[in-house]
Amino acid sequence: MSIKLTETCFKGMAGAYAALFTPIDRKNRVNEEAIDAIVEYGIANGLRGFYLTGSTGGWFLLSPEERKTVWRRAVKAANGRCKLIAHVGDTSTDVSVALAKAAADVGVDWISSVAPPVFCNNFNRTYYHYKRVSEATDLPFMAYSIGSELVPARDIRFFDLPNVKGIKYTGRDYYAAQALKRDIDKVKETIWFAGCDEQLLCALALDNVFAGGIGTTYNIIPGHFAKICELAAKNDFRAAAKWQDEANQVVRLMIESDNWSYRKAMMKFVGIDCGPYRAPFEKLTAAQEKAYLKRFAALGIVKKGQARA
């Protein structure tokens, strides 16, 4: 890949990031020790950093204080060894602003936010939301586009905001992404991350658009996604494709159910018990978990307990 990033805030940013699971213990509290384990496992397997309390992290199921707990613990666990991006999005812009300030206070590297959900999700309100949140701190801000259409002539306006320095694009319209990035490059340096795990290599093949990826499956098989980024940076796409093929087998099993608790069961298999997702996601029965993890093991891609090795 030929992406060259010169701004200080981009130093060391390119590569693979896990959208951190927020682990929950048996008393329905944030499991801080498990955060340590996820961070150690990811760093040991080549991740560049973590995206905290995003969609995978269940931000919509956490209180503001719980989100702060995740950030503080991740900062402590990382101890400067990787980059941390705190998602501060909320249905309320005022809450997002307060969370942005709190995230900056605990020492994360970037802040990020989805567009305001539900009835507020249109361009003008998203622009206002991003303006308020991005101006709340001096940290670089990463827009988070998930399930939204990219319109280059319109969306370039987000990058008029001084602190908006990047985007996590969880979409598949790489033609629009490339066009928007090309237009932005004429006026501003930014960093882009692909958010569809199964298409990371496709995104990186655009060469000058995406500098890495952020995703759920990166928690489970961090080494695969780190390797894809490493090989793509060397233009060895044939070798990278083998890692993407294995990763996609895991992705396919992971997303077959809309009960996200199955995703966390995969983490239990690798040796880190993250608990279930909170309601309205259902807890798995012992029989459901056993049958599912038997299928996971049968893929032959992940060794049981490998995170503890």
Side-chain angles (χ1 to χ4, degrees), residues 97-272:
V97 167
L99 287 171
K101 293 176 180 178
D105 287 343
V106 302
V108 301
D109 299 286
W110 283 60
I111 56 172
S112 180
S113 176
V114 291
V118 198
F119 302 110
C120 300
N121 195 355
N122 66 30
F123 178 82
N124 288 333
R125 283 188 284 269
T126 299
Y127 183 89
Y128 175 70
H129 177 79
Y130 281 171
K131 184 176 188 298
R132 290 273 315 279
V133 179
S134 67
E135 290 177 349
T137 80
D138 292 329
L139 291 178
F141 177 88
M142 185 177 294
Y144 181 4
S145 174
I146 178 170
S148 299
E149 180 187 12
L150 283 185
V151 181
R154 177 197 68 190
D155 295 342
I156 193 171
R157 287 183 53 203
F158 290 132
F159 296 88
D160 292 339
L161 300 170
N163 286 343
V164 177
K165 302 286 188 177
I167 185 170
K168 177 182 186 287
Y169 175 56
T170 306
R172 297 173 176 83
D173 188 350
Y174 297 134
Y175 175 71
Q178 188 177 49
L180 177 57
K181 181 66 160 52
R182 185 185 300 117
D183 291 344
I184 294 169
D185 284 348
K186 296 174 184 176
V187 295
K188 187 174 185 177
E189 187 176 27
T190 59
I191 189 167
W192 285 47
F193 292 92
C196 291
D197 299 15
E198 75 282 3
Q199 294 187 351
L200 174 61
L201 188 57
C202 301
L204 296 178
L206 292 175
D207 187 51
N208 63 343
V209 179
F210 294 96
I214 300 171
T216 302
T217 328
Y218 297 49
N219 289 285
I220 303 158
I221 48 172
H224 280 68
F225 292 97
K227 199 69 177 177
I228 292 166
C229 290
E230 175 190 335
L231 290 168
K234 297 176 180 177
N235 292 314
D236 191 349
F237 289 91
R238 184 178 296 276
K242 297 178 181 179
W243 291 92
Q244 184 74 72
D245 177 67
E246 282 198 354
N248 285 359
Q249 294 176 59
V250 177
V251 172
R252 185 178 184 183
L253 179 61
M254 184 185 74
I255 66 173
E256 71 174 18
S257 172
D258 60 5
N259 182 357
W260 288 11
S261 290
Y262 280 102
R263 305 180 182 193
K264 283 190 172 182
M266 287 180 161
M267 286 301 286
K268 187 174 182 180
F269 183 87
V270 302
I272 304 172

Side-chain angles (χ1 to χ4, degrees), residues 49-62:
F50 298 87
Y51 189 92
L52 310 172
T53 62
S55 301
T56 296
W59 68 266
F60 43 88
L61 301 172
L62 300 172

Side-chain angles (χ1 to χ4, degrees), residues 69-81:
T69 295
V70 173
W71 304 336
R72 283 193 295 266
R73 190 67 180 214
V75 168
K76 182 180 178 181
N79 194 27
R81 294 176 295 163

Side-chain angles (χ1 to χ4, degrees), residues 18 20-26 29-43 50 52 69-70 73-74 77-78 219 264 267-268 270-276 307-308:
L20 189 90
F21 285 124
T22 298
I24 301 298
D25 66 19
R26 294 183 180 182
R29 301 172 304 191
V30 173
N31 186 336
E32 297 186 50
E33 290 76 16
I35 293 174
D36 297 346
I38 298 171
V39 170
E40 290 300 326
Y41 177 47
I43 291 175
F50 298 87
L52 310 172
T69 295
V70 173
R73 190 67 180 214
N219 289 285
K264 283 190 172 182
M267 286 301 286
K268 187 174 182 180
V270 302
I272 304 172
D273 189 349
C274 292
R308 297 194 300 264

